[in-house]
C-alpha cells in the first residue's frame, strides 16, 4: 500500500469516526431532551400530589358534609313534587308570577341523581335574580342549568325568565335501598 492510500484510508476512518460521533451526539441530545421532559412531568405530578395530600383533611370534611347534607331521594315523583312546590312557594313570596312549569325526566349518574323543573316566571328583574339567589344556596343542592331572560313586551318594567332548575340528590348505593326497606 502506498503512503497516499494509507492517508486516504486514515482520512476516511477519521471522517467515519467524526460522523459517527455527530450521529451519536444527536441521539444522546434527543434522549436527554426526552428524559428532561419526563422529569418535568414527574415533578409536576409530584407537586400536584403534595398539594392534594396537604388538602386531604379539607376534602375529607367536604365529603363528610356532602354525605350528611345531600338530600336522599325516596321516590322520583315525591322529589319532583317537593322541588316544584318549593320553587312555586318561594316565587310567590318574591311576588313573581309563574306562567309555565314543566317537570323533566330524572337523570342518574354515578355521583348524583338529578330531578329537574323548568319554570317560566314573570316579574321585576331584581326580584327574579333575588329569588334565584335565595333558591341556589349550597344547602339546597339546587343548580340552574339553563337561563333565558327576555323583556316582557306587555310590561316594560318586567321580564320573562325561563329557568331550568335541577336538584342533585345522593346517588343510589347498592344495598342502601335494601337495608332501608328492611
Amino acid at each position: 500500500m502506498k503512503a497516499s492510500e494509507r492517508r486516504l484510508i486514515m482520512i476516511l476512518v477519521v471522517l467515519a469516526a467524526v460522523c459517527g460521533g455527530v450521529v451519536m451526539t444527536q441521539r444522546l441530545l434527543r434522549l436527554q431532551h426526552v428524559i428532561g421532559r419526563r422529569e418535568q412531568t414527574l415533578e409536576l405530578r409530584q407537586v400536584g400530589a403534595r398539594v392534594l395530600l396537604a388538602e386531604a383533611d379539607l376534602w375529607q370534611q367536604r365529603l363528610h358534609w356532602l354525605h350528611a347534607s345531600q338530600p336522599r331521594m325516596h321516590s322520583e315523583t315525591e322529589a319532583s313534587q317537593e322541588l316544584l312546590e318549593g320553587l312555586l312557594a318561594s316565587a310567590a313570596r318574591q311576588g313573581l308570577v309563574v306562567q309555565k312549569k314543566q317537570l323533566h325526566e330524572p337523570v342518574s349518574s354515578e355521583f348524583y341523581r338529578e330531578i329537574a323543573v323548568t319554570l317560566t316566571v314573570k316579574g321585576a328583574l331584581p326580584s327574579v335574580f333575588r329569588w334565584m339567589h335565595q333558591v341556589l344556596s349550597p344547602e339546597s343542592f339546587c343548580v340552574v342549568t339553563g337561563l333565558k331572560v327576555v323583556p316582557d313586551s306587555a310590561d316594560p318594567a318586567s321580564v320573562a325568565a325561563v329557568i331550568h332548575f335541577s336538584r342533585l340528590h345522593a346517588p343510589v348505593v347498592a344495598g342502601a335501598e335494601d337495608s332501608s326497606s328492611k
Side-chain angles (χ1 to χ4, degrees):
M1 219 183 253
K2 294 182 186 177
S4 62
E5 290 176 341
R6 285 185 193 151
R7 273 187 250 135
L8 283 176
I9 290 176
M10 274 305 244
I11 291 174
L12 183 62
V13 169
V14 169
L15 281 176
V18 169
C19 288
V22 168
V23 169
M24 289 303 292
T25 302
Q26 286 178 341
R27 286 186 179 179
L28 288 174
L29 288 174
R30 267 192 243 126
L31 181 61
Q32 182 183 14
H33 182 68
V34 167
I35 291 172
R37 281 190 298 178
R38 286 182 182 172
E39 182 182 14
Q40 286 176 341
T41 302
L42 288 175
E43 286 174 359
L44 288 175
R45 284 185 182 176
Q46 187 177 25
V47 167
R50 284 185 188 141
V51 168
L52 288 175
L53 286 174
E55 294 178 345
D57 291 337
L58 172 67
W59 286 104
Q60 286 296 330
Q61 290 172 358
R62 288 178 177 175
L63 181 63
H64 177 70
W65 176 84
L66 186 65
H67 287 307
S69 303
Q70 190 172 20
R72 305 266 183 249
M73 182 187 309
H74 300 293
S75 139
E76 292 173 351
T77 306
E78 187 180 298
S80 294
Q81 279 305 114
E82 180 184 325
L83 175 61
L84 180 61
E85 289 171 4
L87 290 172
L88 293 176
S90 64
R93 284 192 298 272
Q94 283 294 327
L96 302 174
V97 177
V98 177
Q99 296 177 325
K100 186 178 173 184
K101 51 192 168 198
Q102 177 184 1
L103 296 173
H104 297 278
E105 287 293 319
V107 175
S108 292
S109 84
E110 179 182 356
F111 304 107
Y112 61 86
R113 293 173 69 189
E114 177 183 345
I115 300 296
V117 175
T118 298
L119 297 178
T120 303
V121 297
K122 180 181 173 184
L125 184 64
S127 297
V128 170
F129 281 100
R130 190 174 309 115
W131 170 61
M132 285 176 39
H133 178 72
Q134 289 173 350
V135 169
L136 298 178
S137 69
E139 295 80 20
S140 71
F141 286 89
C142 272
V143 294
V144 170
T145 55
L147 172 65
K148 181 179 177 182
V149 179
V150 293
D152 188 20
S153 58
D155 183 9
S158 295
V159 295
V162 179
I163 309 165
H164 184 88
F165 288 99
S166 296
R167 175 170 282 159
L168 305 177
H169 293 267
V172 176
V173 178
E177 286 188 2
D178 298 335
S179 63
S180 66
S181 63
K182 290 182 181 179

